[in-house]
Amino acid sequence: MAQPRPAGVLARAIGAVHRTAFGLPKGGRRYTVERAVPVLTRDGAQLLTDLYLPVGEAHGTVLIRSPYGRGLPESLFHGRAFAERGYQVVVQSVRGTGGSTGAFRPIAQETADSQDAVAWLREQAWFTGRLATLGGSYLGWTQWALLQDPPPELRAAVVLVGPHDFARAIRGTGSVALADFLGWSTTVQARGPRAMLAARRRVDAALREPTPEAAAVKALGPDHPWFTDWLAHPDLEDPFWTGYDASAALTATRIPVLLIGGWHDVFVDQTLEQYRRLDADVALTIGPWTHLDTAFKSSRVTDPEALAWFDEHLAGAPSRRPAPVRIHVTGAGQWRSMPSWPPKTEQRVLGLTSTGGLGAESNSGTVEFTYDPADPTPSVGGRHMSAKAGRQDNSALEARDDVVTFTSAPLDTPLEVLGAPSVHLRITTGTTPDVFVRLCEVDERGRSWNVTEVFTRLTTTDAPVTLSLGTCAHRFAPGRRLRLQISGGAHPRFARNPEPCHYTISCEGSHLTLPVAAL
């Protein structure tokens, strides 16, 4: 076991640069670093853990559990930065990663292991007894796993883009979130640029395979059985998924929780569900970020907010938060503080026309298109985990024969959509279809920028369907047009439907409903 070492001059200098670049409050506390401390679990696995301990009395202890190693950026952004400000920071590699022993069986393994990590903390003479948790994405999931049975020492949590229900994230649409979770499964244990590049190339080749099963074989081989298990259990009521759903945490949690998400994050609607359902002191920040943005790009906002949250709820400092909710309104480029979310809005209904219009009234015509699994409709931007997520120009996608669009006239006045739009479609198909619906903003140059969307595999071929698009906060400027985009797939983001399908949309009665703010 390595001995604790005081942070040196170089580390303190790097910390000062980091503080300036990311707007952190002044630190200055001296601290020690102890690396690769083995933490024993109930079944004998050793979870390697790095400790950042301030010299003297600490405000509290922050637990971070990760499958992505204990080095950069976690060691600097949270280990050193928070230790300089008086917090004991415990960064742990989850089972089967970063040198920790045991087989890596992602997601389901964290419920027991998170409790064992806290049990180990209780035995340490330096432990403050005032515990907080921190982390994003999978690191957020490890918090929800723990919060199903919150330990008495827990005082606060900061969860960034962290789902509480991985089962729904993987299979909740009726299809498989193929690109996200095959890509993640292939790269999660790759270490170093060369290994990451090789994994990315395998995934790119695998996503061209005709079925998810074939893609898994090409990308993963026999070394990652969990993805095969995900494919083999399509029913979310199957007991297999029990360990992937920590929804119980939303009713068990009573501690203060800061939730941070991004409008282009794959898990943003789960973040908003957490905000609605938690019966606790809960705050919410949603920025204009993708999932990957929250690993670095968002840190100038998110790290000071996390420190302020811990200062308030562990160190007893006054609140520095102006309001419980902070929302970035895309299109307007504005941050807004609010008492709650969503704000009061009124419904505006726009009908579909057979000539591709979107306006006050629909007409009695129909619009048709055909989906071909041999040439599946591609995915462009949107709410997923890859580097190509987020706001993208959809013009080339919308020129395809298997995509139909309905576009409004240019706006005379600004229009703010704050909440979840919905679409009601009278749609008929010959087989059980997939439906992808997206709301876009068309600029003066004719470029079509995605705002929000929904994908689902329908269980009926001829009944009207109402779909809720993802929640958004977006201002459409004067001169811009609204566009509703409809297709039969978004591959490889979602696994392709193996059956060809012809779609007929009856415009009469089909409409888009927008939650519109008064301006």
Side-chain angles (χ1 to χ4, degrees):
M1 182 187 305
Q3 294 300 311
R5 297 174 53 189
V9 174
L10 178 60
R12 292 198 298 273
I14 293 172
V17 173
H18 175 237
R19 178 182 70 241
T20 301
F22 288 90
L24 298 175
K26 187 175 180 179
R29 290 284 298 272
R30 293 188 176 274
Y31 61 93
T32 63
V33 182
E34 187 173 359
R35 301 194 185 283
V37 176
V39 173
L40 196 67
T41 67
R42 67 192 72 180
D43 63 353
Q46 291 188 343
L47 308 182
L48 297 190
T49 304
D50 292 352
L51 308 176
Y52 300 81
L53 305 180
V55 176
E57 186 177 354
H59 300 315
T61 307
V62 179
L63 175 63
I64 302 169
R65 304 189 63 251
S66 171
Y68 306 123
R70 302 182 306 281
L72 292 171
E74 206 62 58
S75 58
L76 172 62
F77 278 41
H78 299 134
R80 295 183 182 278
F82 284 38
E84 276 194 346
R85 289 154 183 84
Y87 291 94
Q88 299 169 344
V89 184
V90 178
V91 183
Q92 183 173 89
S93 289
V94 304
R95 177 185 299 252
T97 71
S100 294
T101 64
F104 181 53
R105 301 289 293 185
I107 305 167
Q109 69 183 25
E110 305 307 342
T111 298
D113 285 356
S114 63
Q115 294 289 345
D116 290 349
V118 175
W120 179 84
L121 284 173
R122 292 190 186 108
E123 298 172 356
Q124 309 312 304
W126 47 261
F127 178 51
T128 64
R130 298 183 301 279
L131 179 64
T133 57
L134 171 68
S137 192
Y138 193 103
L139 288 67
W141 162 259
T142 66
Q143 297 180 71
W144 293 122
L146 177 66
L147 285 166
Q148 293 176 98
D149 185 12
E153 300 88 350
L154 199 57
R155 299 288 190 273
V158 177
V159 183
L160 296 86
V161 295
H164 60 274
D165 188 347
F166 257 115
R168 193 168 3 132
I170 296 167
R171 300 221 55 148
T173 63
S175 181
V176 176
L178 182 63
D180 278 348
F181 288 99
L182 183 62
W184 181 85
S185 295
T186 307
T187 60
V188 64
Q189 291 181 292
R191 291 293 174 260
R194 184 174 298 179
M196 291 289 290
L197 182 59
R200 187 66 260 171
R201 286 172 175 166
R202 291 200 308 277
V203 173
D204 289 344
L207 291 174
R208 293 192 287 270
E209 294 293 323
T211 66
E213 291 77 11
V217 170
K218 190 156 192 171
L220 301 172
D223 297 331
H224 299 75
W226 64 78
F227 190 84
T228 302
D229 290 342
W230 296 344
L231 296 179
H233 295 85
D235 183 2
L236 293 187
E237 299 301 318
D238 190 319
F240 168 83
W241 293 107
T242 300
Y244 293 79
D245 182 3
S247 295
L250 303 185
T251 54
T253 300
R254 294 293 182 268
I255 63 163
V257 180
L258 170 59
L259 301 168
I260 299 175
W263 289 126
H264 293 293
D265 173 46
V266 64
F267 302 124
V268 64
D269 282 314
Q270 289 206 34
T271 297
L272 292 164
E273 179 184 352
Q274 294 154 15
Y275 172 76
R276 290 193 303 270
R277 293 181 57 187
L278 282 168
D279 184 14
D281 179 2
V282 58
L284 175 70
T285 296
I286 306 288
W289 308 307
T290 69
H291 190 77
L292 295 183
D293 284 343
T294 56
F296 182 80
K297 185 176 180 180
S298 72
S299 295
R300 189 172 177 84
V301 172
T302 58
D303 283 358
E305 286 201 6
L307 270 170
W309 194 252
F310 293 152
D311 287 348
E312 178 183 356
H313 296 292
L314 272 72
S319 174
R320 300 197 294 270
R321 192 174 183 91
V325 174
R326 287 190 72 217
I327 295 297
H328 189 277
V329 180
T330 58
Q334 297 176 351
W335 281 99
R336 296 185 192 165
S337 296
M338 303 179 179
S340 62
W341 178 266
K344 185 177 181 180
T345 57
E346 60 184 28
Q347 290 191 340
R348 183 169 300 184
V349 179
L350 301 177
L352 281 56
T353 74
S354 58
T355 56
L358 184 66
E361 295 182 359
S362 59
N363 65 19
S364 60
T366 61
V367 174
E368 301 183 30
F369 65 96
T370 299
Y371 163 82
D372 180 4
D375 181 23
T377 315
S379 52
V380 175
R383 296 177 171 184
H384 56 91
M385 290 195 285
S386 85
K388 296 181 179 179
R391 185 174 179 264
Q392 302 284 342
D393 183 5
N394 284 238
S395 300
L397 173 66
E398 292 169 353
R400 289 175 58 105
D401 291 339
D402 55 358
V403 179
V404 296
T405 60
F406 303 87
T407 308
S408 75
L411 294 172
D412 295 326
T413 58
L415 177 73
E416 281 195 357
V417 178
L418 303 179
S422 66
V423 62
H424 181 78
L425 296 176
R426 296 181 60 200
I427 191 167
T428 303
T429 64
T431 57
T432 303
D434 291 350
V435 176
F436 181 75
V437 180
R438 170 171 275 175
L439 176 63
C440 295
E441 178 181 42
V442 183
D443 67 19
E444 292 81 356
R445 294 171 54 186
R447 296 174 299 181
S448 180
W449 303 98
N450 49 288
V451 175
T452 184
E453 64 224 21
V454 64
F455 171 91
T456 191
R457 179 161 292 173
L458 300 179
T459 58
T460 181
T461 62
D462 60 0
V465 59
T466 300
L467 302 175
S468 177
L469 282 70
T471 300
C472 64
H474 186 79
R475 173 179 281 204
F476 294 83
R480 300 293 177 95
R481 293 176 290 161
L482 283 72
R483 175 168 290 168
L484 189 67
Q485 177 196 121
I486 303 174
S487 63
H491 181 267
R493 182 174 162 192
F494 300 101
R496 74 184 81 192
N497 190 328
E499 299 181 355
C501 187
H502 186 77
Y503 296 73
T504 301
I505 298 173
S506 175
C507 294
E508 185 175 9
S510 294
H511 57 264
L512 170 69
T513 302
L514 302 172
V516 175
L519 294 178

